Amino acid sequence: RFRFSVVVKREVPARPSPLPTMAVRDPVTGKSEVWLDATKLALSALGVIFCSTALIIYNRWFLKDCTHAPDPSTCKGWGFPFPLLLTFSHLCMISAVCFVLVRVLKVVEPPRITQSAFMRGVVPFAFLVSAEIALSNSGFLYLEASFIAIVKCASPVAVYAVSVLAGLDGFSWSMFGIVSLISGGLGLASIGEANFSLKGFLIVIAATFMSAMRITLSQILTQHGPSKLEVVDEVTDKDDLFRIEDDDDDAHTVLVTSSSSSSAAAASIEKTSSEIQTGAPAGSAASAPAPPNHSTADLSPLQVMYLQTPVSALLLLPLALFSAYEHLPGSRFVNDWDFMVATCVIIVAGVGLGLAMSALNLQFVKLSSALALTVVGVLKTAVTIAMSWWTFQNELTAMNLGGFGLCILGVVLYNCEKYRLLAGS
């Protein structure tokens, strides 16, 4: 005979120690992991501010044409007035980098999705990405970088409006008051802008709404799946609300875009509830090939960029060629060999700057909180305005700064309200 006995142990929760616990230390360096994380966060924030500001200054300087300036000798600009061609070049090079990372270095597994998911998710998203970047870069032909940064601060207005139209957010008077405050600040800054251009202003506003549509599509695809698109098609015109983002905004998929600082901070709360999962490393793949995904919600940011950037480039190619064929053949960018080589080097440098901003933004989003994102967004916009004034010596008026202050106050209130609603749900 065998006698079996069952012993039941009850685990008693340990009482919290009255003394503060020691910070966990890294076994290699012996340093506190809290200080390591704080250092990484600070360096990432500084890198994001630097790269974002440098990219906006770069776009304005590279696209600014000084041939018709009152005093060309004091005008600061390379004079490449082909923003669509610049965007197309950037997308092609980013596509090549993603191909190397995915197919050659195998940083992540090659994405496998169904044709339906590709057509309903990737293609509309690619259209919005190319449209947003092209419109943002086109705005630099007409407006100063500092004013574009102020306009991009109003992105919560577009995000909230599109979200309400798509049925993702309900109308609330508190949010309506906040977006009205931001709109009032933008109107005040526009009235005080010395070099205001209505055409440029409308172009940048259109780019802001494209970014809002990308954020809305990201929420639809990651929270509700493909079925939600059927509802959106009834609410809006067919392909108006699409995006798989990260942002890229500023946004996980932060391509070589001139999107300003606070737009990423304002969109960060939207992205809190729609994080895209990271793909598995190359060495962890099973022996049998994985079945194709039926949606894009499980793709990593790099996999999304791998699928999206070639489509964005192809969609933009006809417009890029049409906008450049009349003036580019007879310009010095083609006839002057040295100038052409220097232009190509500058374009490649812009791609490197954009990719660096993407990597730093991903790292910062991973380590930070909503409050940190908001603070860094405000700092980025302020630094961009200051550096634009210092670089180009453009005029800043008291109404400019007053409108900027109202926009920033509205952005902070908007993020706090979104965070409160998310925490409550």
Side-chain angles (χ1 to χ4, degrees), residues 16-362:
S17 172
L19 299 178
T21 57
M22 296 295 292
V24 180
R25 295 187 177 275
D26 188 272
V28 179
T29 61
K31 296 181 179 180
S32 171
E33 290 186 359
V34 175
W35 286 106
L36 290 176
D37 290 342
T39 303
K40 291 179 182 178
L41 180 62
L43 293 177
S44 299
L46 291 176
V48 168
I49 293 174
F50 172 79
C51 290
S52 177
T53 303
L55 193 57
I56 292 179
I57 300 299
Y58 159 86
N59 280 320
R60 173 57 176 165
W61 170 81
F62 188 65
L63 295 171
K64 188 174 183 178
D65 189 5
C66 295
T67 55
H68 302 292
D71 187 3
S73 60
T74 60
C75 181
K76 297 180 180 179
W78 187 256
F80 187 82
F82 307 106
L84 299 185
L85 190 60
L86 173 65
T87 305
F88 173 75
S89 303
H90 282 174
L91 290 173
C92 288
M93 283 183 275
I94 291 174
S95 178
V97 171
C98 291
F99 180 85
V100 171
L101 292 175
V102 174
R103 291 292 182 177
V104 179
L105 300 179
K106 299 187 183 303
V107 176
V108 296
E109 287 295 309
R112 294 167 55 84
I113 63 173
T114 62
Q115 182 179 359
S116 174
F118 182 84
M119 296 303 297
R120 295 179 67 83
V122 175
V123 173
F125 171 53
F127 165 75
L128 286 176
V129 167
S130 58
E132 180 198 352
I133 301 176
L135 289 170
S136 295
N137 288 341
S138 299
F140 286 100
L141 295 175
Y142 308 97
L143 299 174
E144 297 294 341
S146 57
F147 183 65
I148 289 179
I150 296 176
V151 174
K152 289 297 184 72
C153 283
S155 62
V157 177
V159 172
Y160 179 69
V162 175
S163 297
V164 171
L165 290 176
L168 296 180
D169 282 337
F171 177 83
S172 70
W173 286 107
S174 60
M175 293 298 292
F176 178 77
I178 292 172
V179 298
S180 298
L181 176 65
I182 298 174
S183 301
L186 179 60
L188 182 63
S190 301
I191 295 174
E193 175 62 19
N195 300 318
F196 181 79
S197 168
L198 179 60
K199 182 178 181 179
F201 177 77
L202 294 178
I203 288 174
V204 178
I205 288 294
T208 303
F209 271 91
M210 290 292 177
S211 177
M213 292 176 187
R214 292 195 298 120
I215 295 174
T216 303
L217 179 64
S218 176
Q219 291 182 277
I220 291 172
L221 294 178
T222 55
Q223 294 180 12
H224 305 280
S227 60
K228 182 67 176 179
L229 293 177
E230 318 253 302
V231 179
V232 177
D233 289 341
E234 298 175 3
V235 176
T236 60
D237 295 336
K238 292 184 179 178
D239 289 331
D240 279 353
L241 292 178
F242 286 109
R243 166 194 176 185
I244 291 179
E245 185 174 311
D246 16 286
D247 351 47
D248 80 211
D249 201 306
D250 70 142
H252 291 273
T253 310
V254 188
L255 298 179
V256 185
T257 175
S258 48
S259 76
S260 108
S261 45
S262 291
S263 60
S268 63
I269 305 300
E270 305 287 345
K271 292 178 290 187
T272 303
S273 59
S274 60
E275 281 288 326
I276 298 177
Q277 297 177 357
T278 306
S284 63
S287 57
N293 296 329
H294 295 283
S295 71
T296 53
D298 295 327
L299 297 179
S300 70
L302 179 57
Q303 289 173 320
V304 172
M305 291 177 67
Y306 172 82
L307 293 171
Q308 168 262 312
T309 45
V311 181
S312 295
L314 289 176
L315 291 174
L316 192 60
L317 178 60
L319 289 176
L321 294 178
F322 178 78
S323 64
Y325 87 97
E326 184 177 355
H327 302 287
L328 185 62
S331 66
R332 61 184 300 193
F333 297 102
V334 176
N335 299 325
D336 189 338
W337 173 258
D338 294 335
F339 195 74
M340 181 178 64
V341 171
T343 301
C344 293
V345 171
I346 294 173
I347 292 176
V348 173
V351 173
L353 190 60
L355 290 175
M357 186 182 70
S358 299
L360 290 169
N361 197 49
L362 284 172

Side-chain angles (χ1 to χ4, degrees), residues 156 178-179 181-182 405-415:
I178 292 172
V179 298
L181 176 65
I182 298 174
L406 289 179
C407 287
I408 290 300
L409 177 60
V411 168
V412 173
L413 293 175
Y414 177 88
N415 285 340

